[in-house]
Amino acid sequence: MVTKYQSHVLQLFCYVLFRDSKNKTYRVTFINRMACEEESKFQSWIIKQEELKSKVIRDDIYEWQQKRKDVQKIGGMDLSFIKEKDSIACAALVVCQFPDFEVIYEDISMVPMTVPYIPGFLGFREAPPLVEAFARLRNKEPHLVPDCILVDGNGTLHPRGFGLASHIGVCCNIPTVGVAKNLYQMEDLGLLRNEDHKQKISEIKNPGDHFDLETTSGTILGLALKTSASSSKPVYVSIGHMFSLQTAAWIVYHCSKYRIPEPIRQADIRSREFLRINREKIADIL
DNA sequence: GCGACAG
DNA sequence: ATCTTGTCGC
């Protein structure tokens, strides 16, 4: 088993483009390819540098701000697991109609998990099956490809500025937003679930209220957004790919019927339900 | 050496 | 992520 992640192999890079907060300049964040002690386990997930470069959009950044009125479909992704086995999971990709959130497409599949969960490296574990699901959608029902995807995990709110949501955005070449249910604590950057943080949470009371998650050096990596009047916890929104933070937050806010934005919630519900219904079949495999 | 750590 | 019932409240 992989127990530590200190023996990184730093060779390849992947990129994420987004508009910065002033909506003017484009920023490029990169992540170093990393590997654990069992590097071979990561080989198949390694993103080829050239492949990624060709996928990166340079001049044609998605003009969401101007397309708001034309938003028709928003995607959601999530994975569910069973307690008995860590190496099998259920992946769900759903597409919701906007703004009523009727589910117009779903792809639920059982997938083998070969990469362990390591905080900070979630993308290497969860992105592959979701990227595959998206590829199936693009092939089978191209007219149902959503305008953007909400991902259950962080984007730029990540120690290397490149979490699961960014990973998926680049691999699928589609705008993504990162939505996490808990704050990814990064002591180096001064982002902790401390008293100060709890205090700020208590100050955002109504849906739409939010505060920035700012690094000690002044970079805003994401924001805590109150989405539900009935939950005290906010969700943590960050840029995935091809979005400004403001737009990302706008989307999450407008997708939130409950605390978790509807497309992700639907993906979560459906993947869980699939596991429940097929629990006998799955038990046979164990 | 120990603790912390999105899903 | 997952294990877990009812229950208090709007």
Side-chain angles (χ1 to χ4, degrees):
Chain A
M1 279 303 292
V2 178
T3 52
K4 293 181 187 300
Y5 46 96
Q6 52 199 15
S7 56
H8 301 160
V9 176
L10 308 172
Q11 288 181 354
L12 303 179
F13 308 90
C14 50
Y15 301 86
V16 56
L17 289 190
F18 55 90
R19 219 189 307 245
D20 91 345
S21 54
K22 298 194 176 67
N23 244 349
K24 281 190 171 180
T25 57
Y26 295 149
R27 286 176 52 181
V28 179
T29 313
F30 66 89
I31 180 176
N32 292 314
R33 184 201 117 191
M34 69 297 284
C36 295
E37 280 154 21
E38 286 193 347
E39 191 196 337
S40 59
K41 291 220 168 190
F42 282 91
Q43 285 300 339
S44 58
W45 305 129
I46 289 168
I47 301 157
K48 300 289 186 293
Q49 186 179 16
E50 292 311 310
E51 188 183 334
L52 264 170
K53 275 184 179 170
S54 67
K55 286 181 178 177
V56 170
I57 296 175
R58 295 195 180 285
D59 306 314
D60 186 21
I61 296 291
Y62 195 82
E63 297 290 340
W64 183 280
Q65 302 278 7
Q66 286 147 40
K67 288 196 70 172
R68 279 182 186 180
K69 297 189 211 80
D70 304 326
V71 179
Q72 294 176 350
K73 303 180 290 294
I74 297 186
M77 290 175 163
D78 189 36
L79 261 69
S80 290
F81 297 83
I82 52 175
K83 59 170 182 180
E84 290 85 359
K85 209 159 168 61
D86 201 25
S87 57
I88 187 167
C90 179
L93 161 64
V94 304
V95 178
C96 293
Q97 201 165 271
F98 188 83
D100 63 348
F101 302 111
E102 184 191 329
V103 176
I104 54 175
Y105 177 88
E106 69 172 44
D107 179 316
I108 316 290
S109 58
M110 294 303 301
V111 292
M113 302 302 291
T114 58
V115 180
Y117 169 64
I118 299 169
F121 300 86
L122 181 63
F124 287 81
R125 172 172 166 83
E126 296 201 353
L130 295 172
V131 170
E132 274 184 32
F134 184 75
R136 285 195 291 275
L137 164 59
R138 192 166 256 165
N139 286 330
K140 288 184 189 171
E141 310 271 6
H143 61 290
L144 292 182
V145 169
D147 299 301
C148 73
I149 297 177
L150 304 188
V151 178
D152 184 16
N154 291 311
T156 55
L157 182 54
H158 179 273
R160 295 165 195 77
F162 199 92
L164 173 63
S166 303
H167 201 133
I168 288 175
V170 170
C171 292
C172 296
N173 191 23
I174 190 169
T176 56
V177 178
V179 182
K181 295 183 279 297
N182 295 291
L183 176 65
Y184 188 167
Q185 304 194 78
M186 292 172 274
E187 188 157 16
D188 315 348
L189 303 180
L191 290 175
L192 292 170
R193 220 157 35 199
N194 51 24
E195 287 308 317
D196 182 45
H197 185 73
K198 288 173 186 167
Q199 175 60 32
K200 285 179 182 168
I201 288 178
S202 68
E203 287 168 6
I204 52 175
K205 307 205 71 172
N206 302 310
D209 291 352
H210 61 274
F211 62 87
D212 291 337
L213 299 168
E214 189 174 354
T215 292
T216 35
S217 59
T219 311
I220 295 172
L221 296 184
L223 49 85
L225 172 68
K226 182 98 169 155
T227 52
S228 160
S230 51
S231 175
S232 58
K233 287 183 77 177
V235 293
Y236 297 91
V237 179
S238 58
I239 294 164
H241 190 43
M242 295 188 225
F243 273 133
S244 68
L245 184 55
Q246 288 76 5
T247 309
W250 183 90
I251 293 165
V252 173
Y253 175 69
H254 286 280
C255 283
S256 296
K257 203 171 160 188
Y258 305 105
R259 184 170 88 102
I260 306 302
E262 205 55 21
I264 292 180
R265 188 169 158 270
Q266 287 302 325
D268 184 69
I269 291 172
R270 282 151 205 262
S271 57
R272 291 248 271 268
E273 184 69 359
F274 187 91
L275 286 179
R276 196 185 63 76
I277 292 172
N278 296 294
R279 62 186 183 80
E280 289 189 359
K281 277 188 183 177
I282 297 166
D284 292 342
I285 303 171
L286 299 182

